Amino acid sequence: MFNFQMLMAAKQAKEKFMNNHPKVETFIDDVNSKGFCADQEIAVAVRYPDGTEYKTGIRVTESDLQLLNMLKGLTK
């Protein structure tokens, strides 16, 4: 069953997040305009206030492209 209230709450939360962090939207737009391709590297880092840091990265494969393009559609 489709939950319209949850969809509206998610939309409002996204808008608030984007207003709080305007550089994220520009970043997403830049990445989306260039698209995804095989052998592209995606890196993520999370740093906590106590100094703990976690990093990871992937090299995109052909089989990853379908999922990445689906996720790209969700950011619009």
Side-chain angles (χ1 to χ4, degrees):
M1 180 106 190
F2 187 75
N3 187 332
F4 185 73
Q5 287 180 327
M6 181 73 90
L7 179 64
M8 291 305 294
K11 183 176 186 260
Q12 289 173 345
K14 177 190 172 206
E15 289 171 1
K16 184 174 183 178
F17 181 87
M18 292 302 191
N19 285 334
N20 289 339
H21 310 284
K23 290 182 180 181
V24 171
E25 188 164 19
T26 302
F27 172 79
I28 291 171
D29 289 344
D30 290 345
V31 171
N32 278 341
S33 71
K34 185 116 181 180
F36 295 105
C37 61
D39 291 328
Q40 175 182 29
E41 184 180 344
I42 298 175
V44 178
V46 176
R47 193 173 310 116
Y48 288 87
D50 68 2
T52 304
E53 187 171 319
Y54 297 98
K55 294 181 183 181
T56 192
I58 64 164
R59 180 140 332 259
V60 176
T61 66
E62 288 289 336
S63 64
D64 297 329
L65 292 175
Q66 180 181 8
L67 174 62
L68 291 171
N69 285 315
M70 288 170 64
L71 293 172
K72 176 182 169 181
L74 294 175
T75 63
K76 293 181 181 179

